[in-house]
Short mmCIF file of all heavy atoms in Angstrom, two decimals:
data_model
loop_
_atom_site.label_atom_id
_atom_site.label_comp_id
_atom_site.label_asym_id
_atom_site.label_seq_id
_atom_site.Cartn_x
_atom_site.Cartn_y
_atom_site.Cartn_z
N ASP S 163 -16.69 19.75 -57.29
CA ASP S 163 -16.85 18.81 -58.40
C ASP S 163 -15.90 19.25 -59.51
O ASP S 163 -15.87 20.42 -59.88
CB ASP S 163 -18.29 18.84 -58.93
CG ASP S 163 -19.15 17.87 -58.16
OD1 ASP S 163 -18.56 16.92 -57.58
OD2 ASP S 163 -20.38 18.06 -58.12
N LEU S 164 -15.10 18.30 -59.96
CA LEU S 164 -14.18 18.63 -61.06
C LEU S 164 -14.84 18.18 -62.36
O LEU S 164 -15.25 17.02 -62.49
CB LEU S 164 -12.84 17.93 -60.88
CG LEU S 164 -12.09 18.25 -59.58
CD1 LEU S 164 -10.80 17.47 -59.53
CD2 LEU S 164 -11.81 19.74 -59.49
N GLN S 165 -14.96 19.10 -63.26
CA GLN S 165 -15.63 18.76 -64.51
C GLN S 165 -14.69 19.02 -65.68
O GLN S 165 -13.68 19.69 -65.55
CB GLN S 165 -16.90 19.62 -64.65
CG GLN S 165 -17.96 19.19 -63.67
CD GLN S 165 -18.86 20.35 -63.28
OE1 GLN S 165 -18.61 21.50 -63.63
NE2 GLN S 165 -19.91 20.03 -62.54
N GLU S 166 -15.10 18.47 -66.78
CA GLU S 166 -14.37 18.67 -68.04
C GLU S 166 -12.91 18.32 -67.87
O GLU S 166 -12.03 19.17 -67.96
CB GLU S 166 -14.56 20.11 -68.55
CG GLU S 166 -16.02 20.43 -68.83
CD GLU S 166 -16.25 21.93 -68.96
OE1 GLU S 166 -15.28 22.62 -69.30
OE2 GLU S 166 -17.36 22.38 -68.68
N SER S 167 -12.67 17.08 -67.54
CA SER S 167 -11.32 16.55 -67.30
C SER S 167 -10.56 17.43 -66.31
O SER S 167 -9.47 17.87 -66.57
CB SER S 167 -10.50 16.42 -68.58
OG SER S 167 -11.30 16.43 -69.69
N SER S 168 -11.24 17.73 -65.26
CA SER S 168 -10.65 18.45 -64.14
C SER S 168 -10.22 19.87 -64.51
O SER S 168 -9.39 20.46 -63.85
CB SER S 168 -9.43 17.69 -63.57
OG SER S 168 -9.79 16.40 -63.22
N THR S 169 -10.72 20.40 -65.51
CA THR S 169 -10.31 21.76 -65.84
C THR S 169 -11.25 22.78 -65.25
O THR S 169 -10.98 23.98 -65.30
CB THR S 169 -10.26 21.97 -67.36
OG1 THR S 169 -11.52 21.55 -67.88
CG2 THR S 169 -9.14 21.19 -68.01
N LYS S 170 -12.32 22.34 -64.69
CA LYS S 170 -13.24 23.28 -64.09
C LYS S 170 -13.70 22.73 -62.74
O LYS S 170 -14.05 21.56 -62.64
CB LYS S 170 -14.45 23.47 -65.02
CG LYS S 170 -15.30 24.65 -64.64
CD LYS S 170 -16.43 24.82 -65.64
CE LYS S 170 -17.58 25.59 -65.04
NZ LYS S 170 -18.84 25.25 -65.69
N ALA S 171 -13.63 23.57 -61.74
CA ALA S 171 -14.02 23.14 -60.40
C ALA S 171 -15.15 24.01 -59.89
O ALA S 171 -15.06 25.24 -59.95
CB ALA S 171 -12.83 23.24 -59.46
N THR S 172 -16.21 23.37 -59.47
CA THR S 172 -17.31 24.13 -58.88
C THR S 172 -17.62 23.59 -57.51
O THR S 172 -17.52 22.38 -57.26
CB THR S 172 -18.59 24.02 -59.75
OG1 THR S 172 -18.82 22.62 -59.95
CG2 THR S 172 -18.42 24.72 -61.06
N ILE S 173 -18.00 24.49 -56.63
CA ILE S 173 -18.35 24.06 -55.28
C ILE S 173 -19.72 23.44 -55.32
O ILE S 173 -20.68 24.07 -55.75
CB ILE S 173 -18.35 25.26 -54.31
CG1 ILE S 173 -16.93 25.81 -54.20
CG2 ILE S 173 -18.86 24.84 -52.95
CD1 ILE S 173 -16.83 27.04 -53.34
N SER S 174 -19.82 22.19 -54.94
CA SER S 174 -21.13 21.55 -54.95
C SER S 174 -21.81 21.72 -53.61
O SER S 174 -23.02 21.86 -53.52
CB SER S 174 -21.01 20.06 -55.29
OG SER S 174 -20.30 19.40 -54.30
N SER S 175 -21.05 21.69 -52.55
CA SER S 175 -21.65 21.98 -51.24
C SER S 175 -20.54 22.42 -50.29
O SER S 175 -19.36 22.18 -50.54
CB SER S 175 -22.39 20.77 -50.67
OG SER S 175 -21.51 19.68 -50.56
N SER S 176 -20.97 23.03 -49.19
CA SER S 176 -19.96 23.49 -48.24
C SER S 176 -20.56 23.52 -46.84
O SER S 176 -21.78 23.51 -46.67
CB SER S 176 -19.47 24.88 -48.63
OG SER S 176 -20.51 25.81 -48.40
N ALA S 177 -19.67 23.52 -45.87
CA ALA S 177 -20.10 23.62 -44.49
C ALA S 177 -19.14 24.56 -43.79
O ALA S 177 -17.98 24.68 -44.19
CB ALA S 177 -20.11 22.26 -43.81
N THR S 178 -19.62 25.21 -42.76
CA THR S 178 -18.78 26.14 -42.04
C THR S 178 -18.83 25.80 -40.55
O THR S 178 -19.88 25.50 -40.01
CB THR S 178 -19.27 27.58 -42.25
OG1 THR S 178 -19.34 27.82 -43.65
CG2 THR S 178 -18.32 28.56 -41.61
N LEU S 179 -17.67 25.84 -40.00
CA LEU S 179 -17.58 25.55 -38.57
C LEU S 179 -17.73 26.86 -37.83
O LEU S 179 -16.96 27.80 -38.05
CB LEU S 179 -16.22 24.91 -38.28
CG LEU S 179 -15.95 24.55 -36.83
CD1 LEU S 179 -16.92 23.49 -36.36
CD2 LEU S 179 -14.52 24.07 -36.70
N GLU S 180 -18.76 26.93 -37.00
CA GLU S 180 -18.99 28.17 -36.26
C GLU S 180 -18.58 27.96 -34.81
O GLU S 180 -18.68 26.86 -34.28
CB GLU S 180 -20.48 28.54 -36.31
CG GLU S 180 -21.04 28.70 -37.71
CD GLU S 180 -20.53 29.97 -38.39
OE1 GLU S 180 -19.84 30.77 -37.73
OE2 GLU S 180 -20.83 30.14 -39.60
N GLY S 181 -18.12 29.02 -34.25
CA GLY S 181 -17.78 28.90 -32.83
C GLY S 181 -17.02 30.09 -32.35
O GLY S 181 -16.80 31.06 -33.09
N LYS S 182 -16.63 30.02 -31.11
CA LYS S 182 -15.90 31.13 -30.51
C LYS S 182 -14.51 31.21 -31.12
O LYS S 182 -13.90 30.21 -31.45
CB LYS S 182 -15.76 30.88 -29.01
CG LYS S 182 -16.84 31.56 -28.18
CD LYS S 182 -16.41 31.66 -26.75
CE LYS S 182 -16.13 30.30 -26.14
NZ LYS S 182 -15.82 30.37 -24.73
N GLY S 183 -13.99 32.38 -31.22
CA GLY S 183 -12.61 32.58 -31.62
C GLY S 183 -12.37 32.28 -33.08
O GLY S 183 -13.29 32.03 -33.86
N GLN S 184 -11.11 32.28 -33.45
CA GLN S 184 -10.74 32.04 -34.83
C GLN S 184 -10.56 30.55 -35.03
O GLN S 184 -9.55 29.98 -34.64
CB GLN S 184 -9.43 32.76 -35.13
CG GLN S 184 -9.64 33.94 -36.05
CD GLN S 184 -8.33 34.42 -36.61
OE1 GLN S 184 -7.29 34.23 -35.98
NE2 GLN S 184 -8.36 35.01 -37.78
N LEU S 185 -11.54 29.93 -35.62
CA LEU S 185 -11.43 28.50 -35.84
C LEU S 185 -10.75 28.25 -37.17
O LEU S 185 -10.98 28.96 -38.15
CB LEU S 185 -12.82 27.86 -35.83
CG LEU S 185 -13.53 27.96 -34.48
CD1 LEU S 185 -14.95 27.46 -34.61
CD2 LEU S 185 -12.79 27.16 -33.44
N LYS S 186 -9.91 27.23 -37.17
CA LYS S 186 -9.14 26.96 -38.37
C LYS S 186 -8.86 25.48 -38.43
O LYS S 186 -8.39 24.90 -37.46
CB LYS S 186 -7.83 27.73 -38.28
CG LYS S 186 -7.16 27.94 -39.60
CD LYS S 186 -6.01 28.89 -39.37
CE LYS S 186 -4.81 28.46 -40.17
NZ LYS S 186 -3.63 29.22 -39.79
N PHE S 187 -9.20 24.89 -39.59
CA PHE S 187 -8.91 23.47 -39.72
C PHE S 187 -7.41 23.27 -39.89
O PHE S 187 -6.75 24.01 -40.62
CB PHE S 187 -9.64 22.89 -40.93
CG PHE S 187 -11.12 22.77 -40.72
CD1 PHE S 187 -12.02 23.46 -41.52
CD2 PHE S 187 -11.61 21.95 -39.72
CE1 PHE S 187 -13.38 23.35 -41.32
CE2 PHE S 187 -12.98 21.84 -39.53
CZ PHE S 187 -13.86 22.54 -40.32
N THR S 188 -6.88 22.27 -39.23
CA THR S 188 -5.47 21.99 -39.39
C THR S 188 -5.24 20.74 -40.23
O THR S 188 -4.20 20.61 -40.87
CB THR S 188 -4.79 21.78 -38.03
OG1 THR S 188 -5.52 20.77 -37.33
CG2 THR S 188 -4.77 23.05 -37.22
N ALA S 189 -6.18 19.83 -40.21
CA ALA S 189 -6.00 18.60 -40.97
C ALA S 189 -7.36 17.97 -41.22
O ALA S 189 -8.35 18.34 -40.59
CB ALA S 189 -5.12 17.62 -40.19
N GLY S 190 -7.39 17.02 -42.14
CA GLY S 190 -8.64 16.35 -42.40
C GLY S 190 -8.40 15.04 -43.12
O GLY S 190 -7.30 14.79 -43.63
N LYS S 191 -9.42 14.21 -43.13
CA LYS S 191 -9.28 12.94 -43.84
C LYS S 191 -10.67 12.51 -44.32
O LYS S 191 -11.65 12.62 -43.59
CB LYS S 191 -8.73 11.88 -42.88
CG LYS S 191 -8.02 10.76 -43.60
CD LYS S 191 -6.61 11.20 -43.97
CE LYS S 191 -5.94 10.14 -44.81
NZ LYS S 191 -4.59 10.60 -45.20
N TRP S 192 -10.67 12.08 -45.54
CA TRP S 192 -11.94 11.60 -46.13
C TRP S 192 -12.01 10.11 -45.85
O TRP S 192 -11.11 9.36 -46.21
CB TRP S 192 -11.93 11.87 -47.63
CG TRP S 192 -13.26 11.82 -48.29
CD1 TRP S 192 -14.29 11.05 -47.93
CD2 TRP S 192 -13.68 12.56 -49.43
NE1 TRP S 192 -15.36 11.25 -48.75
CE2 TRP S 192 -15.01 12.19 -49.70
CE3 TRP S 192 -13.07 13.52 -50.26
CZ2 TRP S 192 -15.74 12.72 -50.75
CZ3 TRP S 192 -13.81 14.04 -51.31
CH2 TRP S 192 -15.15 13.65 -51.55
N SER S 193 -13.09 9.72 -45.19
CA SER S 193 -13.20 8.32 -44.80
C SER S 193 -13.45 7.43 -46.01
O SER S 193 -14.29 7.74 -46.85
CB SER S 193 -14.35 8.14 -43.81
OG SER S 193 -14.66 6.78 -43.69
N PRO S 194 -12.72 6.33 -46.14
CA PRO S 194 -12.96 5.43 -47.27
C PRO S 194 -14.19 4.55 -47.04
O PRO S 194 -14.58 3.79 -47.91
CB PRO S 194 -11.69 4.59 -47.32
CG PRO S 194 -11.19 4.59 -45.91
CD PRO S 194 -11.61 5.89 -45.30
N HIS S 195 -14.75 4.61 -45.84
CA HIS S 195 -15.89 3.74 -45.53
C HIS S 195 -17.20 4.46 -45.80
O HIS S 195 -17.20 5.62 -46.20
CB HIS S 195 -15.82 3.33 -44.06
CG HIS S 195 -14.52 2.72 -43.69
ND1 HIS S 195 -14.12 1.49 -44.13
CD2 HIS S 195 -13.49 3.19 -42.95
CE1 HIS S 195 -12.92 1.21 -43.67
NE2 HIS S 195 -12.51 2.23 -42.94
N HIS S 196 -18.27 3.79 -45.54
CA HIS S 196 -19.62 4.36 -45.66
C HIS S 196 -19.82 4.99 -47.04
O HIS S 196 -20.38 6.08 -47.16
CB HIS S 196 -19.87 5.42 -44.59
CG HIS S 196 -19.52 4.97 -43.21
ND1 HIS S 196 -20.26 4.04 -42.53
CD2 HIS S 196 -18.50 5.30 -42.40
CE1 HIS S 196 -19.71 3.81 -41.36
NE2 HIS S 196 -18.64 4.57 -41.25
N ASN S 197 -19.29 4.35 -48.03
CA ASN S 197 -19.52 4.86 -49.38
C ASN S 197 -18.93 6.25 -49.56
O ASN S 197 -19.46 7.07 -50.29
CB ASN S 197 -21.03 4.90 -49.66
CG ASN S 197 -21.33 4.33 -51.02
OD1 ASN S 197 -20.40 4.01 -51.76
ND2 ASN S 197 -22.60 4.21 -51.34
N SER S 198 -17.88 6.53 -48.86
CA SER S 198 -17.19 7.82 -48.94
C SER S 198 -18.12 8.98 -48.65
O SER S 198 -18.16 9.97 -49.37
CB SER S 198 -16.56 8.01 -50.32
OG SER S 198 -15.63 7.00 -50.54
N THR S 199 -18.90 8.85 -47.61
CA THR S 199 -19.80 9.94 -47.27
C THR S 199 -19.38 10.64 -45.98
O THR S 199 -20.10 11.49 -45.49
CB THR S 199 -21.23 9.43 -47.08
OG1 THR S 199 -21.21 8.39 -46.12
CG2 THR S 199 -21.81 8.93 -48.38
N GLN S 200 -18.24 10.23 -45.45
CA GLN S 200 -17.86 10.84 -44.19
C GLN S 200 -16.48 11.46 -44.27
O GLN S 200 -15.60 11.00 -44.99
CB GLN S 200 -17.88 9.80 -43.05
CG GLN S 200 -19.29 9.46 -42.64
CD GLN S 200 -19.34 8.62 -41.39
OE1 GLN S 200 -18.32 8.43 -40.74
NE2 GLN S 200 -20.50 8.13 -41.07
N LEU S 201 -16.33 12.50 -43.46
CA LEU S 201 -15.09 13.23 -43.43
C LEU S 201 -14.74 13.50 -41.97
O LEU S 201 -15.63 13.73 -41.16
CB LEU S 201 -15.29 14.56 -44.17
CG LEU S 201 -14.17 15.58 -44.09
CD1 LEU S 201 -13.07 15.20 -45.07
CD2 LEU S 201 -14.70 16.96 -44.42
#
Side-chain angles (χ1 to χ4, degrees):
Chain S
D163 272 337
L164 301 179
Q165 289 151 352
E166 299 164 25
S167 341
S168 305
T169 52
K170 193 177 158 206
T172 52
I173 295 177
S174 65
S175 58
S176 70
T178 306
L179 180 64
E180 303 288 354
K182 265 199 300 185
Q184 250 195 333
L185 296 173
K186 200 171 140 190
F187 288 118
T188 54
K191 204 80 186 178
W192 197 329
S193 166
H195 307 290
H196 310 289
N197 226 355
S198 300
T199 55
Q200 286 189 9
L201 172 79

